[in-house]
Amino acid sequence: QQQVKQSPQSLIVQKGGISIINCAYENTAFDYFPWYQQFPGKGPALLIAIRPDVSEKKEGRFTISFNKSAKQFSLHIMDSQPGDSATYFCAAAAYGGATNKLIFGTGTLLAVQP
Amino acid sequence: ETGVTQSPTHLIKTRGQQVTLRCSSQSGHNTVSWYQQALGQGPQFIFQYYREEENGRGNFPPRFSGLQFPNYSSELNVNALELDDSALYLCASSSRQGRNEQFFGPGTRLTVL
């Protein structure tokens, strides 16, 4: 019940296209859903996050869509650029609990071709 | 504002040895969490420190231990190293327990031979 399932494992998109990464969770106590971007040899960098009281959040070219009833959320990268090539992780946390530990998905390796 | 820093960057140890990794939290942050990231995997929560006390632990054995200091910096200690401990160890800081975003440092790459 603590798992966060992420798909696809890898994704190839043409420059200017839309990248879509999906995640699903089971634990209804989760109330915080961030996305992280990680380049090789670096730590994860927080991209964008959403709480379940909204269905969508947009920051620049990055959008999170959230479906509470389906327990799914997704990251959309509009106008994908080669510089977006990285590994993307979704995560979830139950901030009402004693520990705000993040449960991560398994990651999606995105390659944006020029 | 200084971000999360970790030291050392890389470390090579042999099986059975002990290792200490260090983390300085972002300015204004009082909570530090440690994660282990094996190659090709997502980070796994080890434990969290708040007000110098352990505040939650993941599925890691007692040979993984930690400290938090009054300036909110933290250490991760691993005793009796095993080959499977080879991973990227990440520290994340946040500004208030349970509420805010976690910001990660660059990590320490530990290789156990």
Side-chain angles (χ1 to χ4, degrees):
Chain A
Q1 199 180 26
Q2 286 292 313
Q3 283 186 325
V4 176
K5 296 182 180 180
Q6 183 172 347
S7 63
Q9 187 174 359
S10 62
L11 183 61
I12 299 174
V13 173
Q14 296 298 313
K15 179 182 176 181
I18 302 174
S19 304
I20 302 174
I21 305 170
N22 302 298
C23 284
Y25 64 97
E26 289 295 325
N27 188 348
T28 55
F30 289 151
D31 61 358
Y32 174 69
F33 303 90
W35 284 88
Y36 284 85
Q37 178 190 57
Q38 187 175 31
F39 292 103
K42 305 293 185 182
L46 180 62
L47 262 182
I48 186 172
I50 197 168
R51 298 194 187 273
D53 52 342
V54 296
S55 60
E56 186 175 281
K57 182 175 182 180
K58 183 177 180 180
E59 290 185 1
R61 296 186 294 110
F62 301 93
T63 300
I64 298 179
S65 297
F66 184 80
N67 186 328
K68 188 175 181 178
S69 61
K71 291 185 285 187
Q72 295 176 348
F73 58 110
S74 60
L75 175 69
H76 295 233
I77 306 175
M78 312 300 287
D79 187 26
S80 299
Q81 298 296 312
D84 297 330
S85 298
T87 300
Y88 292 80
F89 292 96
C90 62
Y95 268 6
T99 302
N100 57 338
K101 66 179 180 181
L102 291 168
I103 307 297
F104 282 85
T106 50
T108 296
L109 180 60
L110 171 65
V112 181
Q113 294 186 336
Chain B
E1 184 178 89
T2 306
V4 179
T5 60
Q6 292 186 244
S7 63
T9 305
H10 296 90
L11 204 52
I12 299 175
K13 292 286 188 178
T14 57
R15 200 168 42 178
Q17 285 189 311
Q18 177 266 343
V19 68
T20 297
L21 311 181
R22 295 176 176 82
C23 170
S24 292
S25 61
Q26 186 168 316
S27 177
H29 287 184
N30 59 9
T31 302
V32 172
S33 302
W34 286 92
Y35 292 81
Q36 180 195 65
Q37 185 177 23
L39 200 61
Q41 301 294 319
Q44 298 289 316
F45 177 76
I46 302 175
F47 44 54
Q48 180 182 86
Y49 277 84
Y50 173 65
R51 292 184 176 178
E52 302 179 49
E53 292 189 358
E54 186 179 292
N55 179 52
R57 187 179 187 93
N59 189 27
F60 281 82
R63 58 189 186 84
F64 286 78
S65 63
L67 286 172
Q68 186 180 33
F69 301 98
N71 66 353
Y72 307 125
S73 65
S74 177
E75 286 182 355
L76 164 66
N77 299 290
V78 186
N79 294 321
L81 284 166
E82 301 177 359
L83 297 179
D84 285 348
D85 296 334
S86 295
L88 181 68
Y89 287 85
L90 296 161
C91 165
S93 73
S94 52
S95 62
R96 187 163 67 91
Q97 179 194 11
R99 303 316 307 170
N100 291 355
E101 298 91 346
Q102 295 187 30
F103 297 91
F104 284 82
T108 294
R109 171 69 63 186
L110 172 64
T111 301
V112 182
L113 301 176

